[in-house]
Amino acid sequence: MNHGIRRRLARALCAAVLVSSVGACASIPTTGGVMEGSAEVDSASDLGFDVQGPAMDASPEQIVQGFVSAAQFGPASAATLDIAKEYTTPVAWSAWDEYTQVLVLSEYPRWTVEEFDESTVETSVRGEATVVASLDESGVYSELAEPSVVEVAFDLTRGDDGQWRISGLEDGMLVLADFLGNAFHRTSLYYPTSDREWWVPDVRWYPGQSWRTGATQAILDGPPERLAQSTISVVPDGATLAIDAVTVADDGTIDVSLTSAITTAPPDDRALLVAQLEATLREGDGRTVVLSSGTSPLAATSAAEPSRPVTVGDAVAVLDTEEGQALRRVVGRELTDLAEPQDVAGLDVTAVAVGTGGSIVVRDGSVRLVRLGEEGRSELLAGPELVPPSVDRFGTVWTAVGGDLRVALPTGGVVPVEAEWLADLSVRSLRVAPEGARIALVTDGPDGPEVWVAAIERDAEDVPTGLSAPVRVGGPVASAEAVDWSEESTLQLLARDPDGTRGLFAAGVGGLAGSNDGLTRPLATTAVPTALAAGVGASPTLALDADGTLFVRQSAALWPVVSEDVVAVAYPG
């Protein structure tokens, strides 16, 4: 392929594909009816696709169409990839790096063929492809804020037998969004927090036929840069895969053979590595990891496995009563008294936050945060238009004033949290993940509201000191107002539809779980929500409307009423 086409495609991709930097893409309104539900299949073969090699005397366009259709299932099946190879010349195939970048398309490209006749031996086929997401060479998923059209091109040569074959193509792969989950395996890599108490997930998409090998290599490489200050690695220097394959035995055992450097790891580190690999690779019960040095199995002591991020405790609601405001627990479809009642008389409670130990922080009006407890009230901090608070697992209370993040420490005092990328933005909503290593934020700036997830950097005393570079989440959602964690790598967003009506959306940090394409999608509700509360694990989503009616999600279409006269609600976190 000529260098001019390569440069133009590279520039188009740089402009189109979302990167982890502020302001990379502008938000646009989403369109279409509210829908929910998806089905996943483990591999392309489960769908029964009949992938065929090139037909005799196929035209250049048919050759390109056949190649693209076959290649997109190659990551799940070596046999299918071999069929895709039949559409190319040996030189083109050997030069092709299929995983440099995977472009996820909303539909197949629209092809244009350069004019040719019976004497032509070289031609090209160009296509316009509408990209909605991408995977980089590490399997990191990025969703575009809006679909972007890029040009793709293939050079073809007619052989001595008169048959056309692809002789030049760009590195990377085109995959239809509907088939992404059939070709690639959405994988959560788990890294331990510095205190070894919790797992921090990092979502990647690996080729289906070798996803365990790719995931193991990533674990051995250590946490990615953005999680480097928030998690740890227990892999000793020089420990790599002894063979480039991680296999699963008939009895379900996952065999991970490493180089001899693994023998230098202390027993506790080796046990934690086994737990880390099992959390990442086993996919359900019944599988264990056997670690070996070369062909020699290594004894691994048992270790307390870190917890996956999960919300612990019931939500707390602020209720308007005839006697004044009161706090109540949300249990199922009912409000019940707190185990330790808290007096909020004299306060104008507009937001509430709950610590994992049951401590409660309320926002009084919009100008100060107050901690409630057995010893009475204590003012944590004051400021204009404070963002509703979030309490992390260390008891640190997070809020923001404009673009300035502030935290009130459990030992007393307020400190700022530095993040250069927030300099020109204001924070509208924030929520710390259950493991305390990540924070989700809704910001407002020159490009409008945007949703970001960053890792929290802490010192030796677990005091927050800064945020990592952020990852954009839920790009297609316009006018986001609030965010909460609903699964370990999934956010629920409160946002406005194009007509101005508020609605709920699910967005994945690294691609949405449970969907074949990983794309952000709307959630059906029976009310127009003005606030939301979600919990990671079994905690159902709660939605509050403008009239103060609190709803609980029991299914996509069933949101029964919990109570009326509710002012605010939040799960622990």
Side-chain angles (χ1 to χ4, degrees):
M1 180 172 296
N2 68 64
H3 295 291
I5 294 175
R6 187 181 301 274
R7 286 194 296 269
R8 289 197 298 274
L9 180 56
R11 288 196 296 268
L13 296 183
C14 287
V17 177
L18 180 64
V19 295
S20 298
S21 59
V22 179
C25 296
S27 296
I28 65 165
T30 54
T31 59
V34 176
M35 299 177 65
E36 184 176 23
S38 63
E40 276 195 280
V41 183
D42 290 337
S43 69
S45 60
D46 293 328
L47 294 175
F49 286 108
D50 184 16
V51 179
Q52 300 288 337
M56 182 64 65
D57 297 326
S59 69
E61 181 176 355
Q62 289 171 332
I63 290 294
V64 170
Q65 288 175 335
F67 172 78
V68 171
S69 297
Q72 68 180 335
F73 296 115
S77 166
T80 302
L81 202 59
D82 286 341
I83 293 175
K85 181 178 180 179
E86 297 176 16
Y87 287 89
T88 70
T89 65
V91 172
W93 182 264
S94 63
W96 183 46
D97 185 351
E98 65 267 39
Y99 299 130
T100 293
Q101 185 175 58
V102 177
L103 299 184
V104 183
L105 311 182
S106 60
E107 58 187 5
Y108 283 119
R110 297 167 294 281
W111 304 109
T112 301
V113 184
E114 186 179 273
E115 290 187 9
F116 67 95
D117 56 32
E118 292 300 322
S119 64
T120 303
V121 295
E122 292 184 350
T123 190
S124 65
V125 176
R126 300 173 184 271
E128 288 189 344
T130 302
V131 182
V132 294
S134 71
L135 304 180
D136 71 10
E137 60 186 1
S138 299
V140 175
Y141 180 103
S142 297
E143 183 179 6
L144 273 65
E146 58 182 278
S148 181
V149 177
V150 300
E151 182 185 272
V152 294
F154 296 82
D155 294 333
L156 290 93
T157 300
R158 194 187 330 238
D160 294 338
D161 59 358
Q163 303 303 305
W164 289 102
R165 292 296 181 264
I166 296 170
S167 56
L169 70 165
E170 294 287 344
D171 288 338
M173 182 179 292
L174 306 176
V175 178
L176 202 63
D178 289 343
F179 301 143
L180 179 66
N182 305 122
F184 291 84
H185 187 280
R186 184 185 182 278
T187 307
S188 290
L189 308 176
Y190 290 99
Y191 298 98
T193 54
S194 57
D195 59 7
R196 304 185 180 215
E197 295 292 329
W198 293 78
W199 292 128
V200 181
D202 181 38
V203 174
R204 307 290 181 92
W205 295 68
Y206 293 113
Q209 61 178 311
S210 59
W211 72 269
R212 285 191 173 90
T213 301
T216 301
Q217 289 174 333
I219 292 292
L220 298 176
D221 289 341
E225 183 177 355
R226 64 184 181 84
L227 293 179
Q229 304 300 316
S230 307
T231 60
I232 60 171
S233 174
V234 293
V235 181
D237 290 341
T240 61
L241 282 171
I243 57 174
D244 191 21
V246 172
T247 58
V248 181
D250 292 339
D251 63 358
T253 300
I254 303 171
D255 297 315
V256 179
S257 176
L258 304 183
T259 54
S260 60
I262 188 58
T263 61
T264 66
D268 288 349
D269 285 359
R270 196 183 304 168
L272 183 55
L273 176 58
V274 170
Q276 184 180 10
L277 291 170
E278 286 184 343
T280 300
L281 304 178
R282 64 188 170 200
E283 282 206 320
D285 299 328
R287 290 195 175 104
T288 58
V289 166
V290 174
L291 206 61
S292 62
S293 174
T295 59
S296 303
L298 296 173
T301 59
S302 60
E305 183 173 340
S307 300
R308 290 191 180 185
V310 64
T311 299
V312 179
D314 297 320
V316 171
V318 181
L319 186 66
D320 268 339
T321 71
E322 293 182 357
E323 293 78 23
Q325 291 184 323
L327 301 182
R328 297 285 188 268
R329 291 170 58 214
V330 183
V331 181
R333 295 175 56 181
E334 297 181 350
L335 299 185
T336 65
D337 292 336
L338 299 180
E340 297 179 0
Q342 302 291 339
D343 181 18
V344 293
L347 300 177
D348 177 20
V349 180
T350 56
V352 62
V354 187
T356 55
S359 63
I360 295 177
V361 174
V362 297
R363 184 179 65 176
D364 183 20
S366 62
V367 296
R368 68 175 186 148
L369 299 184
V370 177
R371 189 190 302 275
L372 308 178
E374 294 181 357
E375 300 179 358
R377 305 171 185 170
S378 59
E379 180 178 296
L380 298 178
L381 61 88
E385 301 299 325
L386 293 174
V387 169
S390 177
V391 185
D392 68 27
R393 69 180 177 97
F394 301 101
T396 302
V397 181
W398 293 71
T399 187
V401 179
D404 298 326
L405 288 177
R406 299 180 185 179
V407 295
L409 305 178
T411 55
V414 177
V415 297
V417 177
E418 300 297 332
E420 292 183 5
W421 57 272
L422 283 173
D424 297 323
L425 304 174
S426 61
V427 178
R428 304 179 65 172
S429 175
L430 57 81
R431 192 71 169 169
V432 180
E435 84 290 335
R438 299 166 297 160
I439 186 170
L441 307 100
V442 178
T443 64
D444 205 354
D447 295 322
E450 296 172 324
V451 183
W452 305 93
V453 170
I456 299 172
E457 300 169 353
R458 300 177 185 266
D459 64 17
E461 304 300 321
D462 294 320
V463 174
T465 58
L467 301 183
S468 72
V471 173
R472 179 81 182 275
V473 182
V477 175
S479 301
E481 298 178 359
V483 62
D484 210 340
W485 295 88
S486 65
E487 294 179 24
E488 60 183 33
S489 295
T490 299
L491 304 179
Q492 284 194 15
L493 311 177
L494 175 65
R496 291 184 182 272
D497 290 331
D499 63 0
T501 302
R502 289 186 177 94
L504 298 182
F505 297 81
V509 185
L512 187 63
S515 66
N516 231 28
D517 53 23
L519 299 173
T520 298
R521 61 195 57 215
L523 297 175
T525 60
T526 55
V528 178
T530 58
L532 77 101
V536 180
S539 305
T541 298
L542 300 167
L544 187 64
D545 72 9
D547 295 328
T549 303
L550 182 63
F551 300 85
V552 59
R553 185 179 189 269
Q554 291 190 345
S555 69
L558 187 60
W559 291 72
V561 172
V562 176
S563 177
E564 298 179 345
D565 300 319
V566 175
V567 176
V569 64
Y571 278 103

